[in-house]
Amino acid sequence: MAAVRPLETVAARLATVLRAVRLAVTEKGRSRSLPRVVAVSKTKSVDDILDAYRAGQRHFGENYVKELIEKAQDKRVGLLCLSRDEVCQCRHLQILSEATEIKWHFIGHLQSNKCNAIAGIKDLWIVETVDSAKLANALNSSCEKQERKERLKVLVQINTSQEESKSGCHPNDCVDLARHIIDHCNKLSFCGLMTIGQFDYDYSQGPNPDFQCLIRCHQTVSEKLNIPADEMEVSMGMSADFEHAIAAGSTNVRIGSSIFGPR
């Protein structure tokens, strides 16, 4: 007999994460609102997503364009799911019919040739990984082609750790990229900064330098472009370090395994 997969599993993990977020804010003594929790659902099933949604979660993050389109049930899903059976498509339809308030975050590396596909996703709330003017232009053009009614929110991704394996603009280029989006991309709305940073940082060595770098970039963009700091997002922190990220000033944490379990 197959093992029963209880609804409480994802809901209980989500509740634990939300308690940890509130505690981190309290310990920091922050007066701002609670950081947004983005449930990173890449490779996770529709059942997992619906479990979290039923428990009150609304913001979900995906790393791959095709997977996001499938889960968001874009009009082209039939073309993109040819290798999947009809049951798979029916489960994806359940997200569309039941999770009517879902807000999708794209948090993976985005290629210019995928912009048309992603811009067509109705419930796409934000793209967190714009790392060049070329990509911003392509995404802006795609939003025009798709006739999106509202400007698409975007974050500038910064490679704070300067690792070749990671995407993101150089910290020194973040002001110019943000300015380019504001001045030349009328279908995009610049909303702040994002970083992934070094994995497995040893906090016995002190505060995370990637978080410190992003906060400095945030302050610089605020000052140079005359944008109030509290109107700009700071997206940093994942399952292993979101409490540290909140302490450093994160407003948006991306949490996967702590909510959905290991992949």
Side-chain angles (χ1 to χ4, degrees):
M1 181 176 178
V4 177
R5 180 182 163 279
L7 173 64
E8 292 74 24
T9 300
V10 170
R13 286 174 174 159
L14 175 61
T16 298
V17 165
L18 294 177
R19 283 194 297 270
V21 167
R22 288 192 292 269
L23 180 60
V25 170
T26 300
E27 291 180 344
K28 177 63 176 175
R30 287 174 43 166
S31 59
R32 296 177 62 179
S33 58
L34 288 175
R36 180 185 305 106
V37 172
V38 179
V40 179
S41 50
K42 69 174 182 179
T43 76
K44 293 302 178 179
S45 70
V46 171
D47 286 323
D48 285 333
I49 294 171
L50 290 174
D51 283 356
Y53 185 89
R54 290 164 184 153
Q57 181 64 26
R58 292 296 180 266
H59 291 264
F60 292 82
E62 290 288 339
N63 290 65
Y64 306 112
V65 173
K66 181 178 178 180
E67 185 176 359
L68 173 54
I69 291 174
E70 290 172 355
K71 290 176 177 176
Q73 195 54 55
D74 182 83
K75 291 180 180 179
R76 289 154 301 211
V77 70
L79 299 176
L80 292 171
C81 290
L82 292 178
S83 63
R84 307 249 181 147
D85 57 26
E86 291 182 358
V87 174
C88 174
Q89 290 202 32
C90 288
R91 298 299 293 137
H92 286 139
L93 282 169
Q94 190 170 350
I95 289 183
L96 186 65
S97 62
E98 181 175 341
T100 56
E101 297 177 354
I102 200 165
K103 295 177 174 62
W104 293 105
H105 294 230
F106 186 75
I107 59 174
H109 177 61
L110 181 60
Q111 297 174 308
S112 296
N113 62 358
K114 300 291 186 181
C115 286
N116 280 336
I118 202 168
I121 299 173
K122 175 185 175 183
D123 295 319
L124 178 65
W125 196 73
I126 193 168
V127 173
E128 296 198 19
T129 50
V130 174
D131 59 5
S132 69
K134 176 183 176 182
L135 179 58
N137 291 341
L139 189 57
N140 188 70
S141 176
S142 294
C143 287
E144 291 179 340
K145 292 177 183 177
Q146 295 292 342
E147 298 182 346
R148 292 186 67 96
K149 294 181 180 180
E150 297 181 357
R151 291 192 297 168
L152 176 62
K153 298 180 178 67
V154 298
L155 302 183
V156 166
Q157 181 180 4
I158 301 175
N159 187 352
T160 53
S161 60
Q162 295 298 288
E163 297 173 82
E164 292 184 2
S165 61
K166 289 189 172 66
S167 301
C169 71
H170 191 280
N172 292 343
D173 297 329
C174 65
V175 173
D176 289 340
L177 180 50
R179 182 183 288 114
H180 176 85
I181 294 170
I182 293 169
D183 292 345
H184 301 289
C185 299
N186 65 330
K187 292 296 183 178
L188 305 182
S189 176
F190 170 72
C191 293
L193 308 177
M194 176 267 208
T195 191
I196 295 176
Q198 177 185 342
F199 295 124
D200 300 321
Y201 175 72
D202 181 4
Y203 282 92
S204 68
Q205 302 298 312
N208 190 317
D210 291 312
F211 296 165
Q212 291 180 314
C213 178
L214 194 67
I215 292 299
R216 288 195 299 270
C217 290
H218 182 266
Q219 292 171 341
T220 301
V221 171
S222 173
E223 293 169 0
K224 296 290 186 181
L225 301 185
N226 196 29
I227 302 173
D230 61 0
E231 294 182 7
M232 288 172 51
E233 298 279 359
V234 180
S235 179
M236 60 187 188
M238 296 182 284
S239 287
D241 58 10
F242 68 87
E243 291 102 335
H244 293 283
I246 292 170
S250 179
T251 65
N252 188 83
V253 291
R254 310 178 302 272
I255 303 176
S257 60
S258 291
I259 293 174
F260 295 112
R263 293 183 175 84

